[in-house]
Amino acid sequence: MWHVLLSFSGLVALIQLLFLPFFPESPPYLFLQKEDKAGCLKAMKQLWGEGNYHTEFDDLMKEKAITKGTKIMNVLEVLRERSVYPQLCTMLLLLLSLQLCGLSAVETANLQESIIPYVSLGVSISELISIIFCSSIIDRFGRRMLLCGGYLLMALILVLLETSLLLSDQFLWLRYCSVILIFLFIIAYGLGP
């Protein structure tokens, strides 16, 4: 039944595609990018109902005045701009850290084939938990603290995971501990990086 499960996301995308033309453009996009004042006000009324939107429109006017001298860059221009290299490198490291850590191979290592779908479900639930938890604590602790703490926690969990995998042939219960450590790793990744 995997084909049904995978096709579900395509069905949701199709529904969104059908209804998307009936929704208005973003008011900031219409005013700042397209310079369509009437369209912006119409979109505000369509999105938020009848009312007076002078405050929101004044904010857009101020933002337009601030960004008047700045040039909107495409992807290639951003990649050529040396001043954004540190930010790009940081972003790439964050994105690649989970992709290259080998968790997808570890998830199924030394496990019975019958419990692998449950491990996949647990990974998804762990990602959901980390998203909810991180969004509620990010303002309290700040990004730097969450990044440093997340990486330290991930390093500790990876050491424990490696140990449990090395000893899993001697102690069968360590296989299940490794699954729990994978879930914890994903939660730590979601909280920090």
Side-chain angles (χ1 to χ4, degrees):
M1 299 294 289
W2 280 102
H3 60 284
V4 174
L5 184 63
L6 291 175
S7 65
F8 182 72
S9 60
L11 178 66
V12 172
L14 180 64
I15 291 170
Q16 289 176 350
L17 190 60
L18 291 174
F19 284 103
L20 195 59
F22 301 106
F23 292 103
E25 288 284 348
S26 164
Y29 170 76
L30 286 171
F31 185 69
L32 299 173
Q33 303 295 322
K34 298 278 188 170
E35 298 182 2
D36 183 7
K37 180 180 177 180
C40 174
L41 291 171
K42 181 182 175 189
M44 284 179 175
K45 288 180 183 176
Q46 198 173 358
L47 287 170
W48 303 323
E50 291 297 324
N52 191 353
Y53 302 111
H54 289 294
T55 307
E56 290 85 0
F57 195 76
D58 288 343
D59 289 342
L60 288 175
M61 296 275 287
K62 289 176 188 173
E63 186 176 341
K64 184 173 184 170
I66 291 171
T67 60
K68 189 173 186 174
T70 60
K71 180 187 172 205
I72 297 173
M73 302 169 73
N74 62 29
V75 175
L76 289 176
E77 290 171 336
V78 170
L79 292 175
R80 289 185 199 128
E81 182 66 37
R82 290 195 176 276
S83 64
V84 298
Y85 282 179
Q87 293 91 337
L88 285 174
C89 290
T90 303
M91 185 180 67
L92 283 173
L93 284 173
L94 292 174
L95 292 174
L96 291 175
S97 63
L98 186 60
Q99 298 300 319
L100 300 177
C101 71
L103 267 185
S104 57
V106 172
E107 283 178 18
T108 57
N110 298 327
L111 296 176
Q112 298 171 353
E113 195 165 326
S114 62
I115 65 168
I116 290 175
Y118 299 109
V119 172
S120 297
L121 180 64
V123 166
S124 300
I125 291 171
S126 299
E127 289 172 350
L128 181 65
I129 289 170
S130 67
I131 289 168
I132 292 170
F133 192 60
C134 181
S135 63
S136 64
I137 66 170
I138 194 164
D139 290 331
R140 186 177 307 150
F141 294 107
R143 295 181 193 279
R144 181 181 298 261
M145 173 98 165
L146 289 179
L147 274 172
C148 293
Y151 277 128
L152 286 173
L153 205 59
M154 287 167 53
L156 174 68
I157 291 170
L158 284 176
V159 168
L160 293 172
L161 182 60
E162 181 66 27
T163 305
S164 71
L165 287 174
L166 287 173
L167 299 174
S168 66
D169 289 334
Q170 297 169 352
F171 306 102
L172 294 177
W173 58 271
L174 279 177
R175 293 179 183 177
Y176 299 101
C177 285
S178 63
V179 172
I180 293 169
L181 288 169
I182 290 169
F183 297 160
L184 290 175
F185 180 86
I186 291 169
I187 291 172
Y189 180 82
L191 288 178

